[in-house]
Amino acid sequence: DLEKVTIRRYPVVNEIKTALMKLGAMGSQMTGSGPTVFAIYADKVKRESAYDKLMSVHGEEWKIFKAENLAA
């Protein structure tokens, strides 16, 4: 599992995952070989709230993006 190896070398990955989970994510994971981390939220309200809080605290040090899945 590359995520475990990456977290040992770059603890910020775990910091990001922890922050996302504390802000109500249903799950959070590093993508591929990193450094992108994503989270899944139950609804847009929770996602927006998490986004706003992350931007206010980490907006100048982390690149934070919102996304949504495409329903078929």
Side-chain angles (χ1 to χ4, degrees):
D1 185 26
L2 190 53
E3 184 174 295
K4 292 176 187 175
V5 174
T6 304
I7 286 172
R8 282 196 295 270
R9 185 161 181 159
Y10 302 98
V12 69
V13 170
N14 195 53
E15 181 184 348
I16 294 167
K17 289 180 62 176
T18 300
L20 291 166
M21 294 302 292
K22 284 182 178 178
L23 292 172
M26 295 174 10
S28 178
Q29 192 172 7
M30 184 182 85
T31 62
S33 59
T36 302
V37 175
F38 70 94
I40 305 291
Y41 288 88
D43 56 55
K44 285 184 180 183
V45 172
K46 289 182 181 181
R47 182 195 70 189
E48 291 296 322
S49 176
Y51 176 83
D52 292 343
K53 289 176 186 173
L54 286 173
M55 285 299 290
S56 70
V57 175
H58 298 287
E60 294 198 20
E61 65 180 305
W62 298 349
K63 291 185 180 182
I64 304 168
F65 301 93
K66 294 184 280 186
E68 57 186 77
N69 64 334
L70 299 175

